[in-house]
Amino acid sequence: MQTDETLLDEIDRIHDAEPERAAQLLRELDAGALAATRLGELAFLFNHVLGEKFGRWDEAAERIAQLAVRDDAPPGVWRQLFAAHTLRGDALGAAAARTALARSTGASDAEANWAGELTVLAYVTDPLSRADDVLALAKAAAQIEASPLDAALAACFNNVTARLLEASLNRPLAAAGAAALRAGAEAARRFWYRAGQWLQHERADYLCAKVDVRIGDAAAAIAAAEHGLRVVEANGNDAVERAFLLLPLAAALAASGQMARAEALRAEAERLASGFDAATRAAFEQDRAELFGSSA
């Protein structure tokens, strides 16, 4: 028997491949039956599916607002509500969501605003057109020593930077885009190293390595990937995490002229990936194409 929890799992699984079906299921789901721990995920899906994919920001905001009235609504609901109100053009609603986010977490109003603005940037059609905003937010957030929103800021900078990186592929990268990529990746790493566990630490290094390859800084990419590998090795040397880090390391080594080591590490990554499930293998092949070219 399908529960609302399993229905949410199904929506999460199909939302990119079958957005119309995901939208229908989102409207059928009984949010009141969900545990508080799933509300942030649901709020994201309202924005990602109803708002980003279909332009129904009014509906997304209204549905997230229904989640926000719950006493146990987590901070992620308020971040997503800020984004939905902003993208529907409701400045007063966004301000109220920002205030609620600050109040519910003990963060400053500025910190709550950074988290909200970064959440908005995760939904813009062309994130590179907002590169200056990402850079400004990264510079502002770098001034704080610690925040109740460290984990949220880490995830937000990670998501925005990943979208910037994806948008930058197969097109010229201007100086503003390169600066935003580097600042966003470094901000994600700084916040994840404060708020995350080893898995988030090494994945932050992995993002920095991919960004550094993209902007042409092979030395920085090698340093980031090798640091991430040391983290993985110290925590069980997981094959998936290792293989994904080996790809940007191999690409950076090749760019710096260290072809023999690059080829050996890439071959190791391929051997590890041969045992991956279909979804993980597809993600690995996407990374390989991004780093080495579609014919690689």
Side-chain angles (χ1 to χ4, degrees):
M1 178 179 177
Q2 189 172 54
T3 67
D4 288 288
E5 297 277 346
T6 58
L7 180 58
L8 183 57
D9 292 336
E10 175 67 4
I11 296 167
D12 186 52
R13 186 183 69 82
I14 69 169
H15 68 267
D16 283 327
E18 303 178 57
E20 295 88 355
R21 174 67 174 156
Q24 177 185 341
L25 293 178
L26 280 169
R27 295 181 178 111
E28 295 175 1
L29 185 145
D30 178 10
L34 293 176
T37 54
R38 305 297 303 272
L39 296 184
E41 178 185 358
L42 177 57
F44 159 74
L45 287 167
F46 282 142
N47 274 344
H48 179 52
V49 177
L50 301 179
E52 184 180 5
K53 292 185 180 297
F54 295 105
R56 298 184 63 87
W57 289 109
D58 286 346
E59 181 183 359
E62 290 162 5
R63 290 184 179 276
I64 297 171
Q66 292 172 6
L67 305 181
V69 300
R70 284 181 49 165
D71 292 337
D72 57 356
V77 169
W78 294 109
R79 279 198 301 109
Q80 298 295 339
L81 185 58
F82 177 98
H85 279 313
T86 299
L87 290 162
R88 78 191 291 206
D90 183 354
L92 290 177
R98 181 188 64 235
T99 299
L101 175 59
R103 184 173 58 246
S104 66
T105 60
S108 70
D109 191 64
E111 292 161 357
N113 191 65
W114 298 334
E117 291 292 347
L118 285 164
T119 306
V120 171
L121 291 174
Y123 297 116
V124 298
T125 302
D126 182 9
L128 280 173
S129 69
R130 304 288 295 276
D132 289 343
D133 293 333
V134 176
L135 182 59
L137 286 164
K139 287 181 176 178
Q143 305 306 310
I144 60 174
E145 293 297 325
S147 166
L149 290 173
D150 275 352
L153 289 167
C156 286
F157 275 114
N158 184 93
N159 294 342
V160 167
T161 305
R163 288 206 66 194
L164 281 172
L165 182 59
E166 182 181 8
S168 79
L169 300 175
N170 303 314
R171 61 192 288 190
L173 183 62
L181 277 168
R182 167 158 278 173
E186 289 179 349
R189 179 164 59 181
R190 181 171 61 255
F191 283 109
W192 273 135
Y193 266 81
R194 288 211 299 242
Q197 303 299 317
W198 75 265
L199 190 63
Q200 287 84 23
H201 297 173
E202 67 91 359
R203 289 184 179 178
D205 287 323
Y206 158 77
L207 178 61
C208 283
K210 288 183 67 179
V211 163
D212 289 328
V213 169
R214 178 67 183 91
I215 66 179
D217 191 340
I222 291 168
E226 288 183 336
H227 189 275
L229 284 170
R230 289 194 293 273
V231 173
V232 173
E233 290 162 1
N235 290 277
N237 208 19
D238 180 86
V240 171
E241 304 303 323
R242 181 174 182 84
F244 275 86
L245 276 162
L246 287 174
L247 285 179
L249 178 55
L253 288 167
S256 65
Q258 301 179 58
M259 297 305 300
R261 187 180 175 211
E263 290 171 4
L265 292 180
R266 184 173 170 188
E268 180 187 349
E270 292 287 355
R271 287 195 300 272
L272 292 170
S274 66
F276 293 170
D277 61 39
T280 308
R281 177 72 195 189
F284 176 87
E285 290 173 353
Q286 180 177 333
D287 260 24
R288 183 180 62 194
E290 291 174 4
L291 290 161
F292 297 97
S294 58
S295 61

